[in-house]
Amino acid sequence: MKARTTLATTSLVLAALLGAAACSPGTDSKEPASAAAAPAASADVFTFKVGALDVVALRDGGMSGVPNDNKVLGVGRTPAEVAAVLTANGLPGDSFSLSVQPLLVRDGARIVLLDAGAGNSFGPGAGKLPASLAAAGVQPDQVTDILISHSHGDHVIGLVNAAGALTRSSPPSRPGSRPSSPAPPR
């Protein structure tokens, strides 16, 4: 029950932050830009705004050549149905690529990481989150909150190493940080 309360509280706080930012009027302040200038967009870092919030999509990696076999995409559909959607969008119908993109949200003094990526568990194309954080101008110890959307490997494995310990590249547990995740599925 406590985990559900934590999730509900976290969801409410995030919704309130996003809602407030979206409804906040712009300012014509002549104050200097914040020390954390927006990073240049690249293949690994893509910045955008949600209201007044600065949001950064951070590439952790991905997998290519995932077969169209209805085990990952289009579960409950036939491969032909999925292939039709893929080809209608200019993609090959027999396979596709998956990308892991945790989000970083800046709101004043808070730097929130939404999900922690797949670490090195998705092969040689994965485990780029630490480098993407650095490219975004953020050191792991600057992250104030970590929100985990759900406990699939591509969202949580980036928090730990092969031995199950917190990785040096993941934001540490420390006073003032508030990791939060939903209750485990039943």
Side-chain angles (χ1 to χ4, degrees), residues 27-39 49 54 106 108:
T27 62
D28 292 331
S29 172
K30 301 292 182 198
E31 296 177 28
S34 71
K49 299 278 276 180
D54 294 313
R106 297 176 196 251

Side-chain angles (χ1 to χ4, degrees), residues 69-79 81-82:
D69 59 7
N70 305 99
K71 292 182 181 175
V72 176
L73 179 68
V75 176
R77 301 290 184 177
T78 67
E81 289 173 310
V82 175

Side-chain angles (χ1 to χ4, degrees), residues 90-176:
L91 300 169
D94 60 341
S95 67
F96 52 91
S97 296
L98 297 174
S99 182
V100 178
Q101 307 272 340
L103 294 177
L104 187 78
V105 179
R106 297 176 196 251
D107 180 33
R110 303 216 76 83
I111 299 177
V112 180
L113 182 64
L114 302 174
D115 291 326
N120 291 319
S121 69
F122 275 33
K128 295 182 177 186
L129 182 58
S132 293
L133 272 170
V138 175
Q139 296 303 311
D141 65 353
Q142 292 177 291
V143 174
T144 58
D145 303 270
I146 304 168
L147 303 179
I148 302 298
S149 63
H150 61 283
S151 60
H152 285 170
D154 57 327
H155 298 258
V156 299
I157 292 175
L159 289 172
V160 296
N161 62 22
L166 284 175
T167 63
R168 185 160 166 71
S169 61
S170 64
S173 288
R174 64 176 207 273

